[in-house]
Amino acid sequence: MTSSALSAIIDQAKVDILPKDPMKDNASKMQEVSRTFISDTITVPTPEMFNYATQASLGDDVYFEPSTAALEAHIAQLTGKEAALFMPSGTASNQIALRTHLTQPPYSLICDQRAHIHKYEAGGAAFHSGAAVIPILPSNRHHLTLDEIKSHVVQTTDVHFAPTQIIALENTLNGTIFPQEEILAISEYAHCVGIKMHLDGARIWHVAVESQRSIKELCDPFDSVSLCFSKGLGAPVGSCLTGSRAFIAKAKAFRKLFGGGMRQTGILAASAAYALSNNFPKLPHVHDLAKRLEAGLREIGVEITSRAETCMLFYDPTPIGLDYNEIGERAAALPKPLVLGGSRLVVHIQTSGEAVEDFLALIRQLAAEKEAAGFVRSELNGNGNTYKDVYVRRVKS
């Protein structure tokens, strides 16, 4: 018989976190997601994905989880590697990969200055692995070249320096595709001098679609690859790390050490599997929408600072007299609000065509308002050459 004291303790623990009207709340969230351009991480599971996931096995992944193991085997085969390991996030996947490759410091790794592994993972390479990072800003502002990497690689027995042990590349990076020929050249050089190659392939799915190269071909030059399910593919959680059997066995130990060992992951693995089968085929449409967005902005007179090679682009609205805050405020005030995040526009599998057209219509309207208020384009500089697109206020007599 339950005592009154125990009943009180049990009652105190009870909680209901569901919204009052889940169907209405989720429909509203889907609407918001379809009109959000800040990232593809905001994609949400669909009822169909949920239904598939609920049929997954119920094992404990720290020991063995059948559905998760099946996903890992598939990803290993897909990437042409010996083994794969399900991870809670892309950051965990990248950082555990680095820690697994790196053994005894001192050592350094080379990456793009803009890379997620360097810029957006909280200094993880230094904290987790004690690695010095050599970030390079590509002179072409698009991708690293073999010559740039050669000029920064540290190969010496001089005790003043940390020898380079990893070259970490990202594909895509800010939505742009790293040319495969350059990757092959970098990989050949790296392996000739005993340096490991790691790929942050969070959005490698986009590269495969746009280049029509297989995932295996894109991953072949690398010793380890991280692939994300929760960005372009729209799964709720998870990435996979792939590499040799020995590498993955060691990575699994680090995953546990870092607190990344999870239990009943079958439902997460099943969501990722559903995304691979059903959402991956949607990426060509995503790219088409992104290119439509770019073309529309160019037509209005906005400067495109990074083109829509895949799912995202970067833009500068100052040529039409606008700034990001003004655009964001007006977008949020629309009858059907648009959610924006500065210079980056990301299109994803749940972006609606209506949202793209509404964004372009808003920019056209704002440009027209600026022109009506007296902003005009300054075409020429003092030497008669074309001047950078800027607007100046017309001085009225």
Side-chain angles (χ1 to χ4, degrees):
M1 181 178 295
T2 305
S3 69
S4 59
L6 179 55
S7 294
I9 292 170
I10 291 171
D11 287 342
Q12 289 168 2
K14 291 178 180 178
V15 62
D16 181 6
I17 63 170
L18 299 182
K20 292 181 179 179
D21 189 341
M23 296 290 288
K24 182 179 178 181
D25 187 77
N26 287 339
S28 175
K29 187 62 182 180
M30 283 294 293
Q31 170 83 348
E32 178 186 325
V33 166
S34 75
R35 299 176 66 80
T36 297
F37 291 94
I38 58 172
S39 178
D40 49 1
T41 60
I42 52 87
T43 50
V44 296
T46 60
E48 294 81 9
M49 180 183 285
F50 274 128
N51 289 337
Y52 183 83
T54 59
Q55 302 173 66
S57 54
L58 300 175
D60 182 326
D61 191 44
V62 173
Y63 300 102
F64 179 75
E65 205 301 299
S67 291
T68 307
L71 175 68
E72 291 169 340
H74 176 70
I75 295 298
Q77 183 274 329
L78 189 65
T79 58
K81 306 302 181 188
E82 292 179 348
L85 185 63
F86 189 72
M87 295 285 191
S89 70
T91 296
S93 190
N94 281 329
Q95 292 303 322
I96 290 171
L98 297 181
R99 186 64 191 87
T100 304
H101 281 306
L102 296 169
T103 54
Q104 178 61 49
Y107 37 56
S108 62
L109 68 92
I110 282 178
C111 66
D112 193 302
Q113 183 177 305
R114 305 161 299 168
H116 198 278
I117 213 167
H118 168 60
K119 196 171 180 181
Y120 300 109
E121 295 185 5
F127 183 84
H128 296 298
S129 299
V133 178
I134 304 174
I136 307 171
L137 183 62
S139 58
N140 59 29
R141 300 286 170 158
H142 186 273
H143 63 274
L144 291 174
T145 65
L146 174 59
D147 288 343
E148 286 172 325
I149 285 175
K150 281 184 174 180
S151 68
H152 287 81
V153 162
V154 177
Q155 282 198 301
T156 178
T157 56
D158 190 319
V159 296
H160 295 88
F161 303 101
T164 302
Q165 292 191 11
I166 299 177
I167 295 170
L169 304 181
E170 186 171 340
N171 199 13
T172 64
L173 193 159
N174 289 342
T176 62
I177 297 174
F178 204 124
Q180 189 69 3
E181 295 74 17
E182 195 73 47
I183 288 175
L184 290 169
I186 294 168
S187 176
E188 181 180 4
Y189 162 74
H191 290 132
C192 281
V193 296
I195 295 174
K196 298 292 185 181
M197 291 280 290
H198 174 70
L199 172 64
D200 179 353
R203 295 183 177 91
I204 198 68
W205 320 106
H206 291 277
V207 183
V209 163
E210 195 64 24
S211 68
Q212 298 188 28
R213 297 178 187 269
S214 72
I215 299 294
K216 179 182 182 302
E217 181 182 355
L218 295 169
C219 296
D220 274 346
F222 297 91
D223 299 285
S224 59
V225 179
S226 175
L227 311 93
C228 189
F229 304 121
S230 65
K231 294 185 175 73
L233 298 186
V237 173
S239 292
C240 248
L241 177 62
T242 70
S244 69
R245 287 189 186 88
F247 173 83
I248 292 300
K250 187 177 178 184
K252 189 171 185 178
F254 279 122
R255 185 185 69 174
K256 181 63 176 172
L257 175 64
F258 286 8
M262 296 184 287
R263 300 301 181 178
Q264 285 70 36
T265 56
I267 55 174
L268 300 178
S271 296
Y274 181 91
L276 280 167
S277 298
N278 297 277
N279 292 346
F280 186 30
K282 298 178 182 179
L283 295 186
H285 174 64
V286 170
H287 296 182
D288 289 344
L289 271 185
K291 289 168 186 174
R292 167 72 190 104
L293 194 55
E294 178 190 336
L297 289 172
R298 284 188 186 278
E299 183 182 335
I300 297 166
V302 170
E303 180 184 357
I304 303 299
T305 57
S306 182
R307 299 195 62 185
E309 295 184 25
T310 55
C311 65
M312 68 180 74
L313 62 139
F314 290 75
Y315 76 110
D316 179 359
T318 55
I320 56 174
L322 297 173
D323 63 50
Y324 302 117
N325 289 336
E326 183 176 9
I327 295 170
E329 289 171 3
R330 289 288 292 272
L334 290 172
K336 292 183 180 179
L338 294 168
V339 182
L340 306 172
S343 64
R344 187 174 84 158
L345 297 170
V346 184
V347 179
H348 51 77
I349 58 172
Q350 291 168 340
T351 302
S352 68
E354 177 189 54
V356 170
E357 295 306 321
D358 287 352
F359 178 75
L360 292 174
L362 174 64
I363 299 299
R364 288 191 195 94
Q365 179 182 346
L366 290 172
E369 290 175 6
K370 289 295 180 181
E371 185 175 357
F375 285 91
V376 296
R377 188 185 298 271
S378 177
E379 297 290 349
L380 301 174
N381 64 16
N383 299 321
N385 299 319
T386 300
Y387 191 64
K388 181 182 178 182
D389 288 343
V390 294
Y391 275 74
V392 293
R393 186 174 295 279
R394 183 185 295 117
V395 179
K396 296 182 178 179
S397 58

